[in-house]
Amino acid sequence: MAESLVKEHVSSKEKIWTRDFILICLANFFVFLGFQMTLPTIPLFVESLGGNDRLIGVVVGIFTFSALLIRPFAGQLLETKGRRFVFLAGLTIFIFTIGVFGFTTSLILLFAIRVIQGIGWGYSTTASGTIATDLIPAKRRGEGMGYYGLSGNVALAIGPSLGLILVNMISFKELFLICGLLGVIAWISASTIRYKKAEPIAIAAKTTKWNLYEKSALQPSILIFFISVTFGGISTFLPLYADQRGVTGIQWYFFIFAAALMTTRIFAGQLYDKHGHKAIYIPSTILISIAMLLLAWMPNNTVLYIAAICYGLGFGALQPALQAWSVEKAAANRKGMANATYFSFFDLGIGFGAILFGQIGYFLDYRSIYITAALSVLLSIVIYIWLLIRNKQT
C-alpha cells in the first residue's frame, strides 16, 4: 500500500521544527554535501580523463537531463508508491553511482554512470522536497521551505571548497568514496522518518493517467529555468575561469556565496508568506544579474567575492519563494507532481546552461558565459512582468 506523510498543517502557530522535519533536513544536508563536493571536481576529473570544455558541459548536462526526464515519473510514484519508496530508492541509486566514479577510466563509461546518477538524483530530490512540503504548516510554507533550503545551503557552504581542498590531497577515487559515504548517512536519516499510510485521495491517483506536469506550478517553474541557467555556468566553469584569470580565491567564493544565501533565507521566507512573490522576484533577479556581470569582469578576488554576495542574496531569496509558489495552489494529491514540475525546470536550466556554456567557452571564451547568463536573468524579468499582466487580465 502507498504511503504518505502527516497531513498538511493549517495553523500558522504550529511548529515547523518537528522530529521528522529535522530528519529530512539532515538527510538533505548529507546528500547535498556529497553532491556539492563533486560540482567543482567533476570538471577536473573529466580533464584528467582527457576531456575538454565541450565534454565537461556534456558530462554535467547529461546528469541534469536524466534527472529531468525521470522527475514526472517520480512525482507520480510519490502519490502511488509513497514518499519512503521513492526517496530511499533514489538515494540508493545516487550512493552507488557516486561511489563508482573514481573507478571509471573512460569518458564513455562516465557518461553512462552520470545518466544513472541523474535518475537517482531526480527521485531523491523530488521526494525530499515533497516530504518537506508535507511537514511544513501551510501558512508558514515560505518560511519552512527557507529553513529546509538552509540544510542544502550549509552543504553548499562546505562542499565545493572541501572538494577542491581534498582533490589536492587525495585521489579522485578516495574523494568520490567519501561522497558516497555521506550519501549513506543521508539514507540512514531518511529511513528513520515516520511515514504514514496514504490518504484515500492519494490511493485514487493509481487509476489516473500518468500526467507529466502540474499545471498550477508552470509559471514559477518556467521562471526558475532562466535563473538556474546561471547556476550551470557557475558550478561547471567558474573554477576553470578563475584559474585562467589568475584569481586564486575560488574556494572562498563558494563559502561567501553560501553564507549570503543562508543570511537571506532567514527573512526571505517570511517575506514571501506575508507579501508573496511580488516582494521578492524583481530585487532578487537584479542582484543575480549584477553578479553575472561582475563575474564576466572579475579582475580580482574582491570583485569575485562581491559577485558571490550578490548571487547568494538573490538566489537565496528567489529559489524557496518560487518553490513555495509552485506548490501553493496544487491539490493535496498533486504536490508531489508540483515539486516534480518545479525541479524538472530547475534541472533543465542547469543542464541547458552547462551544455550551452560548454559550447560558448569552447568557441568564444569564459567571459561570454556570464554575459549570456545575465541576459537569461533579464529575460526572466520580462517574462515575469508579462505573467503579472496576464494574470491580472484573467
Side-chain angles (χ1 to χ4, degrees):
M1 176 179 285
E3 299 174 333
S4 70
L5 292 172
V6 183
K7 292 182 179 180
E8 183 176 283
H9 299 301
V10 295
S11 172
S12 61
K13 295 182 180 180
E14 291 188 52
K15 294 191 302 181
I16 291 177
W17 292 103
T18 61
R19 171 191 177 274
D20 289 335
F21 184 72
I22 293 172
L23 286 171
I24 190 62
C25 287
L26 285 174
N28 192 55
F29 166 75
F30 284 110
V31 73
F32 260 86
L33 181 58
F35 174 68
Q36 294 294 341
M37 287 171 63
T38 68
L39 280 182
T41 53
I42 282 289
L44 302 176
F45 184 50
V46 174
E47 277 193 331
S48 73
L49 295 178
N52 56 26
D53 288 341
R54 299 177 72 184
L55 291 174
I56 289 171
V58 173
V59 168
V60 174
I62 200 170
F63 165 81
T64 53
F65 276 112
S66 66
L68 163 70
L69 293 175
I70 206 66
R71 286 198 190 278
F73 301 98
Q76 188 75 16
L77 287 173
L78 284 169
E79 311 303 344
T80 56
K81 296 294 185 181
R83 274 56 161 164
R84 180 187 180 90
F85 171 82
V86 178
F87 194 26
L88 295 183
L91 287 176
T92 300
I93 296 171
F94 182 77
I95 292 165
F96 172 76
T97 52
I98 204 169
V100 300
F101 271 166
F103 298 91
T104 306
T105 57
S106 73
L107 286 171
I108 294 177
L109 182 58
L110 180 62
F111 292 155
I113 295 173
R114 287 286 283 177
V115 170
I116 300 171
Q117 185 187 41
I119 294 172
W121 187 249
Y123 275 133
S124 61
T125 52
T126 303
S128 63
T130 304
I131 293 166
T133 301
D134 289 341
L135 292 168
I136 298 168
K139 293 183 180 180
R140 300 180 67 184
R141 181 162 290 135
E143 179 185 0
M145 291 308 294
Y147 292 144
Y148 166 74
L150 278 175
S151 61
N153 300 154
V154 175
L156 178 57
I158 303 170
S161 298
L162 181 59
L164 289 171
I165 291 171
L166 288 177
V167 80
N168 291 317
M169 300 172 60
I170 60 178
S171 67
F172 282 112
K173 180 187 296 184
E174 292 169 325
L175 172 66
F176 295 138
L177 285 174
I178 291 173
C179 295
L181 178 61
L182 292 170
V184 171
I185 298 173
W187 194 97
I188 294 171
S189 297
S191 67
T192 58
I193 294 175
R194 295 172 297 192
Y195 299 88
K196 292 192 174 181
K197 294 181 179 180
E199 300 171 36
I201 190 170
I203 297 173
K206 289 184 178 180
T207 60
T208 64
K209 63 181 181 179
W210 281 65
N211 298 311
L212 296 179
Y213 66 93
E214 169 55 37
K215 184 177 180 180
S216 65
L218 275 181
Q219 291 186 4
S221 298
I222 290 171
L223 293 171
I224 198 62
F225 165 81
F226 290 98
I227 303 302
S228 63
V229 162
T230 65
F231 199 81
I234 288 177
S235 62
T236 308
F237 295 103
L238 188 56
L240 300 173
Y241 180 38
D243 182 65
Q244 183 187 81
R245 296 298 294 265
V247 176
T248 58
I250 186 62
Q251 292 93 338
W252 284 104
Y253 170 88
F254 292 104
F255 181 82
I256 294 170
F257 162 66
L261 201 82
M262 289 185 282
T263 300
T264 194
R265 286 279 171 92
I266 294 173
F267 64 85
Q270 295 180 22
L271 185 64
Y272 175 86
D273 290 334
K274 292 179 180 179
H275 303 288
H277 51 79
K278 292 180 182 179
I280 295 176
Y281 196 86
I282 298 297
S284 298
T285 48
I286 290 175
L287 282 171
I288 295 172
S289 299
I290 292 172
M292 295 302 102
L293 294 175
L294 288 175
L295 289 176
W297 178 35
M298 198 171 65
N300 52 47
N301 281 341
T302 300
V303 173
L304 176 67
Y305 299 155
I306 294 173
I309 293 170
C310 290
Y311 192 54
L313 293 175
F315 195 83
L318 194 60
Q319 192 273 331
L322 289 178
Q323 187 176 1
W325 181 9
S326 69
V327 299
E328 68 178 14
K329 293 184 179 179
N333 67 315
R334 294 288 294 175
K335 293 194 184 298
M337 185 58 72
N339 266 304
T341 301
Y342 171 82
F343 280 113
S344 292
F345 279 83
F346 190 96
D347 286 340
L348 181 62
I350 294 177
F352 178 78
I355 293 175
L356 172 65
F357 295 150
Q359 307 307 308
I360 292 175
Y362 182 80
F363 288 107
L364 298 176
D365 54 29
Y366 290 135
R367 179 174 177 269
S368 300
I369 289 174
Y370 301 100
I371 294 174
T372 306
L375 293 174
S376 176
V377 179
L378 293 174
L379 179 58
S380 80
I381 296 176
V382 174
I383 295 173
Y384 178 72
I385 294 172
W386 176 78
L387 288 173
L388 289 181
I389 296 172
R390 180 175 177 271
N391 290 341
K392 283 184 179 179
Q393 291 176 346
T394 56

